[in-house]
Amino acid sequence: MSIKAGIDMVMVPYNYQLFTSNLLDLVNSGAVSVDLINQAVSRILTAKFELGLFENPYPDTTYIGDIGSEPHMHMARAPSLRFC
């Protein structure tokens, strides 16, 4: 029912088969309309097109080695330290 609440993309890392089955049951019962699913898919695809994810689907890995480094972690912590 999260789709009816406005969630366009549901991220289900585990047991996605159950989610898919339940959603299909909701669509078949009329509780969730195919039109609602199509609208959500349209918004997702529009956002991906606007971000250029179909033309350039891979991230820039130039700074991948910086992730998790001490300067990177310091920068990530800085905003929370302002409130301590």
Side-chain angles (χ1 to χ4, degrees), residues 17-79:
Q17 297 92 339
L18 179 61
F19 172 81
T20 304
S21 175
N22 288 341
L23 181 57
L24 188 56
D25 289 344
L26 289 168
V27 170
N28 289 333
S29 73
V32 174
S33 71
V34 172
D35 187 53
L36 190 60
I37 302 291
N38 287 338
Q39 290 172 22
V41 170
S42 178
R43 286 189 293 269
I44 292 166
L45 292 177
T46 298
K48 288 184 173 192
F49 274 114
E50 289 174 354
L51 290 168
L53 295 180
F54 292 102
E55 292 81 22
N56 188 14
Y58 303 104
D60 179 357
T61 59
T62 304
Y63 301 106
I64 196 129
D66 293 341
I67 296 174
S69 67
E70 188 55 39
H72 185 262
M73 297 303 288
H74 178 73
M75 186 186 311
R77 286 188 202 105

